[in-house]
Amino acid sequence: MFRARLNHAQRTGMQVADYQSCVHLFPEDGSDMDAFPADAQAFVHRFFPTVARLTAQGFEGGPTIKGQFDAAVVHVPRSKQLARHLVNWACQLAPDGIIYVDGAKTQGIESLMKAVKAITPLMGVVSAAHGRLFWFHATGQFALWDASSLREIENGFKTQAGIFSAEHIDPGSAFLADALEPLSGHIADLGAGWGYLSHHLLSEHPVSSIDLVEADHAAASCARLNCDDTRAQVFWQGIDSWEAQKSYDHVVMNPPFHEGRKGEPDLGKAFIRKAAGILKKKGKLWMVANRHLPYEETLSQLFVDFRAIAGDKRFKVLLASGPRNTRL
Ligand SMILES: C[S@@+](CC[C@H](N)C(=O)[O-])C[C@H]1O[C@@H](n2cnc3c(N)ncnc32)[C@H](O)[C@@H]1O
């Protein structure tokens, strides 16, 4: 979509210089980066699978980046606070350059544009493909939008802007925590977020170890702080690429699903597949899901037995045992 808006802008007379260097903040795809006219393109992203994909495509970048660039492109994420943070960060990375901001209407580009315009004049704007692209001269006036510092929420948990459930404990995860029987042995927490479930297990259950796997670099960093315990190890990884070094007695998870496409359970199914692959023969999977998400068929394919052990109008907690194709 960025490509479509950029093409539209160029067709309608926008002057995009041939930049020597450009940094993209939170690009979805390498093809978006290729579309921009710059000799060298770097990126900032904190979601592990995206970082791995862009790196494999030959782009340089990661969750942080050093250097100064001639231009920066902000690919607007869903979180309003994170989007503002990225605008300020872009201005720091290209302090003498032009900042391009691109996003879909559903991602709040309209209100972000209004907020930017209230602080500094825009040089141009195009509307196309259900979104907008606007640009302006970098300025230090967005310093108040910096959201890199940690925040403390209930029970002293540390979180950061843009991570899952940054403002409060997720009600689905709390529902799962309440439904758990006492767990012991080696545990894996897949999609661990800022570490709520693991913290609960470390404090209330007789566990030997917990491995937390989380794709969002900022969430993984918070999880390290929230689960500061010698039994816990946090992996910044996507579940597809993470290679477990042992087999587990239990897996706990509150798997993600695409919010944009309601009820899209593919991600959750991939999590179930991973859980089945890393559990011991007698290992158990404990998962919470939104009531409407159809995970039962996948569970019945990958586990000998499964049942719902708790539920309400919003959530269900599923317990599956006897993983098929286990390694032990
Ligand atoms: C519904 S949240 C649950 C977070 C946490 N368990 C909690 O209770 O607060 C799902 C988490 O999975 C992470 N995630 C999404 N895709 C992932 C992937 N491919 N590999 C690992 N983690 C992923 C998200 O960043 C998010 O933190």
Side-chain angles (χ1 to χ4, degrees):
M1 291 304 158
F2 168 62
R3 183 184 280 268
R5 287 187 278 276
L6 192 63
N7 286 344
H8 185 73
Q10 283 164 324
R11 271 200 312 275
T12 51
M14 161 188 159
Q15 299 296 313
V16 181
D18 259 331
Y19 294 102
Q20 277 185 357
S21 63
C22 174
V23 59
H24 292 255
L25 294 94
F26 280 48
E28 276 303 304
D29 203 306
S31 70
D32 279 351
M33 293 174 65
D34 276 335
F36 196 79
D39 297 338
Q41 311 253 24
F43 72 91
V44 174
H45 212 299
R46 61 194 205 190
F47 190 63
F48 188 92
T50 310
V51 172
R53 195 173 60 241
L54 293 174
T55 306
Q57 287 169 0
F59 295 105
E60 232 176 85
T64 57
I65 200 157
K66 287 206 171 88
Q68 192 164 318
F69 301 86
D70 295 334
V73 181
V74 176
H75 301 264
V76 174
R78 203 173 284 274
S79 156
K80 176 178 167 183
Q81 242 200 330
L82 181 58
R84 289 180 173 214
H85 173 72
L86 295 183
V87 168
N88 177 54
W89 195 4
C91 291
Q92 291 171 346
L93 289 170
D96 303 318
I98 310 292
I99 311 301
Y100 297 83
V101 184
D102 180 80
K105 282 185 186 153
T106 49
Q107 275 156 319
I109 188 75
E110 301 283 344
S111 60
L112 181 65
M113 192 177 83
K114 267 190 205 148
V116 168
K117 216 158 89 177
I119 292 176
T120 195
L122 301 187
M123 294 166 66
V125 52
V126 291
S127 299
H130 308 290
R132 280 183 195 266
L133 167 66
F134 63 87
W135 56 102
F136 58 92
H137 274 292
T139 161
Q141 292 181 89
F142 293 106
L144 280 178
W145 286 9
D146 179 89
S148 49
S149 56
L150 294 175
R151 62 177 72 163
E152 216 170 275
I153 60 164
E154 60 205 288
N155 302 340
F157 288 124
K158 311 268 190 312
T159 71
Q160 222 183 335
I163 68 176
F164 174 78
S165 214
E167 313 291 339
H168 49 74
I169 294 167
D170 176 61
S173 296
F175 196 73
L176 172 58
D178 286 346
L180 293 172
E181 287 162 18
L183 303 192
S184 59
H186 299 292
I187 320 285
D189 180 354
L190 301 184
W194 52 257
Y196 168 72
L197 279 174
S198 288
H199 178 275
H200 170 81
L201 290 171
L202 288 163
S203 8
E204 315 256 335
H205 294 245
V207 303
S208 307
S209 76
I210 302 193
D211 287 343
L212 297 82
V213 186
E214 170 55 46
D216 181 338
H217 189 267
S221 304
C222 292
R224 278 193 192 99
L225 300 172
N226 293 321
C227 300
D228 183 16
D229 186 302
T230 50
R231 294 170 293 166
Q233 199 175 354
V234 178
F235 297 87
W236 176 52
Q237 275 280 348
I239 51 139
D240 282 346
S241 54
W242 176 62
E243 288 181 20
Q245 296 302 310
K246 54 163 125 28
S247 295
Y248 294 89
D249 297 291
H250 300 278
V251 169
V252 295
M253 64 191 199
N254 174 4
F257 64 97
H258 285 299
E259 283 170 33
R261 285 176 275 154
K262 214 173 170 213
E264 165 61 77
D266 284 356
L267 263 174
K269 288 181 184 170
F271 270 61
I272 294 171
R273 223 169 287 123
K274 186 70 181 191
I278 61 173
L279 277 166
K280 292 179 182 171
K281 201 169 181 178
K282 290 194 171 163
K284 292 180 178 172
L285 164 64
W286 307 76
M287 66 179 284
V288 65
N290 283 14
R291 226 207 138 97
H292 66 278
L293 290 174
Y295 290 134
E296 284 74 2
E297 199 186 321
T298 309
L299 286 169
S300 70
Q301 284 163 0
L302 295 171
F303 288 85
V304 173
D305 191 30
F306 78 90
R307 66 199 157 91
I309 55 165
D312 66 7
K313 276 187 190 152
R314 293 174 69 191
F315 305 113
K316 58 189 169 190
V317 174
L318 301 164
L319 168 61
S321 50
R324 303 184 205 269
N325 306 318
T326 55
R327 300 184 307 167
L328 283 185

